[in-house]
Amino acid sequence: PQITRAECYRGWVFFALYVFLFPWLMGWVQRSYEGEFPVAEANAVYYLIITALTFLVFWSFLRHGFHLLLDWLPENLFAFAAGLFGAGALSFLVGLIPLPVQNPNLMSYPEQYAFAPGATVLILVVLMPMVEEPLFRGLLFSSVRGYSRALGYVLSVAVYAFYCTVQFVYAFGTLDLRYLLLMIQYVPGALALTWCYDRGGSIWSAIALHMVLNGFTLLGALH
């Protein structure tokens, strides 16, 4: 086990705050001060604060993971490369499946990038992976893997995919459960990230893979 018991306790509290409270709080701030703060810069500040909290909560885990990255560099490089190839191949196959709705994230990236390219890249490519990997792979997967590796994969992938799509179910004024079908688009990446962490042994290889995958996603949305 790489994550300490104290980090596990703190992590689950932080996980609940990140999923349920922080997005609502950020939305409240944006609605209350609409027009006073640029949205892109406000989001960048929000994720910088969340990233700093992630380091405080998982400091020992992240520090130990960096040493493991150096000690097991060949294993982590292989896990990174295999995860990148696997995510690409599975994403291509998933892209062939017709879905009744389009992904709002992919549709909004060009506008966000045109308005604030630096903040968009910082949030999507750098900060989000550094927050989400310690939570969904380091905490969730590691907590379940000790009991069942297969269940750990299922929960890590399913919870992450659900988290990425559930926001759209109520986003347009009406309940539209069709947006949950978009979960399938997040399965290849989540599966590759979980496999990368499991096989490489360091959370930093999964963070690096997440950064690259998000970078490719942004490039694809812009073209």
Side-chain angles (χ1 to χ4, degrees), residues 138-196:
L139 179 65
L140 177 58
F141 175 69
S142 293
S143 297
V144 182
R145 179 176 56 181
Y147 304 96
S148 170
R149 177 174 265 104
L151 181 60
Y153 271 88
V154 170
L155 287 179
S156 179
V157 172
V159 173
Y160 178 75
F162 181 77
Y163 167 76
C164 291
T165 56
V166 69
Q167 58 186 309
F168 305 125
V169 172
Y170 301 96
F172 303 102
T174 59
L175 176 66
D176 193 343
L177 295 178
R178 295 181 302 167
Y179 282 99
L180 290 179
L181 296 175
L182 295 175
M183 288 176 61
I184 194 173
Q185 295 182 346
Y186 293 92
V187 168
L191 184 60
L193 290 167
T194 306
W195 190 89
C196 179

Side-chain angles (χ1 to χ4, degrees), residues 40-214:
E41 284 73 7
N43 286 336
V45 172
Y46 167 76
Y47 269 100
L48 283 169
I49 294 173
I50 299 299
T51 302
L53 291 176
T54 301
F55 273 85
L56 289 175
V57 171
F58 296 107
W59 172 249
S60 177
F61 171 65
L62 292 170
R63 180 168 53 86
H64 183 51
F66 184 75
H67 291 302
L68 291 177
L69 175 67
L70 299 179
D71 293 339
W72 299 343
L73 188 59
E75 291 84 354
N76 281 279
L77 288 175
F78 172 77
F80 173 88
L84 183 61
F85 176 80
L90 290 176
S91 294
F92 173 77
L93 295 176
V94 167
L96 300 177
I97 301 175
L99 295 174
V101 290
Q102 291 184 306
N103 193 322
N105 274 335
L106 301 181
M107 296 169 62
S108 67
Y109 288 158
E111 182 180 356
Q112 294 176 23
Y113 184 82
F115 180 71
T120 301
V121 173
L122 177 65
I123 293 170
L124 186 64
V125 180
V126 179
L127 300 180
M128 288 181 66
M130 296 185 70
V131 173
E132 293 177 351
E133 287 312 299
L135 288 173
F136 288 96
R137 256 57 68 176
L139 179 65
L140 177 58
F141 175 69
S142 293
S143 297
V144 182
R145 179 176 56 181
Y147 304 96
S148 170
R149 177 174 265 104
L151 181 60
Y153 271 88
V154 170
L155 287 179
S156 179
V157 172
V159 173
Y160 178 75
F162 181 77
Y163 167 76
C164 291
T165 56
V166 69
Q167 58 186 309
F168 305 125
V169 172
Y170 301 96
F172 303 102
T174 59
L175 176 66
D176 193 343
L177 295 178
R178 295 181 302 167
Y179 282 99
L180 290 179
L181 296 175
L182 295 175
M183 288 176 61
I184 194 173
Q185 295 182 346
Y186 293 92
V187 168
L191 184 60
L193 290 167
T194 306
W195 190 89
C196 179
Y197 171 58
D198 186 32
R199 295 299 178 179
S202 172
I203 193 62
W204 287 101
S205 60
I207 291 174
L209 178 59
H210 198 154
M211 290 178 174
V212 172
L213 293 177
N214 280 9

